[in-house]
Amino acid sequence: MLQLLRFRRTQKRLLLSVLPLAMLLAVAGPSCTQTAACACLDGAEAVTLVLPVDTVHNDQLLESWQAYRDRFIQADGRVIDREDSDRTVSEGQAYAMLRAVAINDPDTFNRTYTWAKANLVRVDENGQPKDLLWAWKWGQRPDGSWGDLDANFATDADIDAATALIMAAERWNCPKYLDEARALLADIWEYGTVELPDGTRQLIPGPAEDFRLEPAQIILNPSYFAPASFRLFAEVDPDRDWQSLIDSGYALLDDLSEFSTTGLPPDWIAYTPATGTYRQLPLDYPLQSRYSFDAFRVWWRVSQDAAWFNEPRAQAYLEARLPELIRRWQQEGRLPARLTLDGGAQASYEATAHYAMLYPALLRVDAAIANEILTTKLQPAYSDGFWDSDIAYYTQNLAWFGLLPLEVSPDRIAASHEQACRP
């Protein structure tokens, strides 16, 4: 079993720095046999879908994954957004990979990853690959052909894909996934981050030239901040300062807590690195500074860092910012799907995805409220394998991640290797 990602393992870090990967595999522990279910082995036998932990949500997570796989993932591995012209987004491919490795579905992992590598490649004017990042949107063009519709990358998708590859390397003892993750990390760092005036790094949501509001201002998305993933990246890619992305990300969240009346994170914000100041995006700009469907993911990503790494800044952020939503819930018994920076409801409807992303965070702050949301909002929205409806691509993913126990950590994924390798 690959042990590269096991936490609190100083000796493993030493091995990583001095031994070739093949030798590391030999010393790390038991490995899959040629007849076992390793996704990187041709002709691997079918395996049992299973999470590495046992919780009350297991049956629902298994059923909904199978329903999602049948409804949203083509045989060739393309994930289809059935709410938006049957397009495919890089986020969807990465989400499928994360879900597949968590539930021990190496075949689906390999199919979705292979499709993305083959179809979301970004090419230059000569048709040659620019990098390993994925074009974020693919679908049917006006002339009827199918291909990329926007070749810009979305950093969150590439981060999630790299995270899934690292965990897949451990769960299925597949060193090629780790090699490919490292190569992807080099491009995420090169093109998906910028250096700040103090010499640290800041994550950006896509190509720097396309996310500038003004020459001195860059556009940021707080929900792309994935501190738990950055810690995994530091384990396997120690030559880059991933810790600086963690520090700048938490600084961003803290600064934005003072920027809005509610203290809630916005979907998008404009940032001036030279002065360290923020401004709301213009109201007529395509991207908006409001608390909505992107920002929901902040709770999930920060909760992972709190649960997996005991990061005090993560827990402190949840304890400081969730009370605003708890107060609204207690007063109204519902939460709008969109809020302005000053706290006004910008939508009359609710969002299952919102409640799902809040659920794991609330479990760490107010378990009673978390259970209320589970029983009154999440459970009633679920039927026959789907939340809300069988076309709600985004909701299926966020609801699944929200109910996936935070105990499903890279450590537990690695420890499940022997079970995963049983055909």
Side-chain angles (χ1 to χ4, degrees):
M1 171 173 57
L2 282 172
Q3 299 288 342
L4 297 178
L5 310 180
R6 303 297 298 274
F7 309 125
R8 302 172 300 279
R9 51 195 171 180
T10 304
Q11 292 177 334
K12 297 294 191 302
R13 292 193 185 99
L14 179 59
L15 285 172
L16 177 62
S17 65
V18 301
L19 293 180
L21 182 58
M23 187 180 298
L24 186 59
L25 289 172
V27 301
S31 63
C32 296
T33 66
Q34 286 300 110
T35 59
C38 292
C40 62
L41 300 179
D42 293 334
E45 298 179 18
V47 294
T48 301
L49 299 180
V50 61
L51 292 168
V53 300
D54 187 28
T55 76
V56 295
H57 302 305
N58 279 26
D59 289 345
Q60 189 177 57
L61 291 168
L62 175 59
E63 179 187 58
S64 58
W65 169 244
Q66 292 172 309
Y68 182 86
R69 188 178 59 185
D70 293 343
R71 175 69 173 136
F72 292 92
I73 304 178
Q74 286 186 164
D76 63 358
R78 180 168 85 93
V79 179
I80 303 171
D81 181 354
R82 298 195 179 279
E83 285 186 302
D84 196 340
S85 304
D86 283 355
R87 69 175 186 173
T88 288
V89 290
S90 57
E91 163 200 271
Q93 299 298 133
Y95 282 167
M97 291 165 61
L98 282 174
R99 292 175 67 175
V101 71
I103 208 163
N104 193 42
D105 190 342
D107 174 67
T108 303
F109 182 96
N110 199 41
R111 285 188 294 113
T112 52
Y113 177 46
T114 299
W115 188 92
K117 284 196 299 180
N119 292 277
L120 302 184
V121 60
R122 290 159 28 89
V123 298
D124 60 22
E125 60 276 8
N126 298 317
Q128 298 301 308
K130 292 188 197 178
D131 48 52
L132 297 177
L133 306 174
W134 292 348
W136 83 270
K137 183 165 66 170
W138 188 98
Q140 190 169 29
R141 298 164 174 150
D143 64 2
S145 65
W146 290 78
D148 68 79
L149 302 176
D150 189 332
N152 284 340
F153 62 88
T155 320
D156 62 330
D158 296 305
I159 289 169
D160 288 339
T163 303
L165 284 167
I166 293 169
M167 292 196 291
E170 288 244 9
R171 181 149 205 179
W172 299 312
N173 194 31
C174 294
K176 77 166 187 178
Y177 287 153
L178 185 58
D179 293 339
E180 293 181 11
R182 285 192 178 118
L184 179 56
L185 291 181
D187 283 344
I188 292 173
W189 183 267
E190 178 69 20
Y191 304 110
T193 70
V194 294
E195 186 173 355
L196 297 178
D198 63 1
T200 60
R201 306 289 290 192
Q202 174 68 59
L203 181 73
I204 55 176
E209 63 274 15
D210 292 303
F211 284 90
R212 291 195 181 278
L213 185 61
E214 297 176 2
Q217 292 181 336
I218 56 178
I219 298 173
L220 303 178
N221 187 317
S223 77
Y224 285 25
F225 173 52
S229 290
F230 298 157
R231 295 185 203 277
L232 292 183
F233 299 168
E235 290 278 347
V236 303
D237 184 32
D239 293 336
R240 294 179 178 85
D241 187 10
W242 295 101
Q243 179 64 46
S244 68
L245 287 186
I246 299 173
D247 295 338
S248 64
Y250 277 115
L252 168 68
L253 291 182
D254 286 343
D255 290 344
L256 293 178
S257 296
E258 305 299 323
F259 182 79
S260 67
T261 303
T262 63
L264 300 175
D267 289 344
W268 300 91
I269 199 74
Y271 175 59
T272 305
T275 60
T277 56
Y278 303 85
R279 61 168 288 196
Q280 181 176 351
L281 291 167
L283 295 179
D284 60 350
Y285 198 76
L287 307 175
Q288 287 291 296
S289 299
R290 62 190 176 195
Y291 174 75
S292 186
F293 286 85
D294 269 23
F296 299 161
R297 299 180 300 178
V298 168
W299 310 118
W300 168 53
R301 295 196 187 277
V302 172
S303 295
Q304 284 183 329
D305 203 27
W308 295 359
F309 293 93
N310 295 315
E311 169 56 55
R313 288 174 294 182
Q315 186 65 28
Y317 180 79
L318 298 178
E319 292 176 356
R321 298 305 148 205
L322 285 174
E324 169 68 19
L325 296 174
I326 292 173
R327 178 186 62 80
R328 288 173 178 265
W329 171 263
Q330 290 174 328
Q331 290 179 349
E332 304 172 18
R334 65 192 304 276
L335 296 170
R338 288 195 172 102
L339 293 172
T340 62
L341 292 179
D342 63 5
Q346 206 173 31
S348 60
Y349 56 87
E350 303 165 82
T352 299
H354 186 194
Y355 292 124
M357 292 284 93
L358 279 173
Y359 177 67
L362 286 169
L363 285 174
R364 299 190 62 85
V365 174
D366 192 325
I369 298 294
N371 189 60
E372 287 179 18
I373 284 177
L374 174 67
T375 56
T376 63
K377 298 298 181 179
L378 293 176
Q379 289 178 344
Y382 183 81
S383 177
D384 297 327
F386 300 101
W387 286 273
D388 290 352
S389 75
D390 68 353
I391 64 168
Y393 145 84
Y394 193 65
T395 299
Q396 306 316 311
N397 285 294
L398 268 60
W400 201 90
F401 288 126
L403 292 181
L404 182 69
L406 288 170
E407 291 80 8
V408 181
S409 66
D411 265 348
R412 297 297 290 268
I413 291 287
S416 68
H417 168 76
E418 291 186 38
Q419 181 181 21
C421 281
R422 297 191 189 107

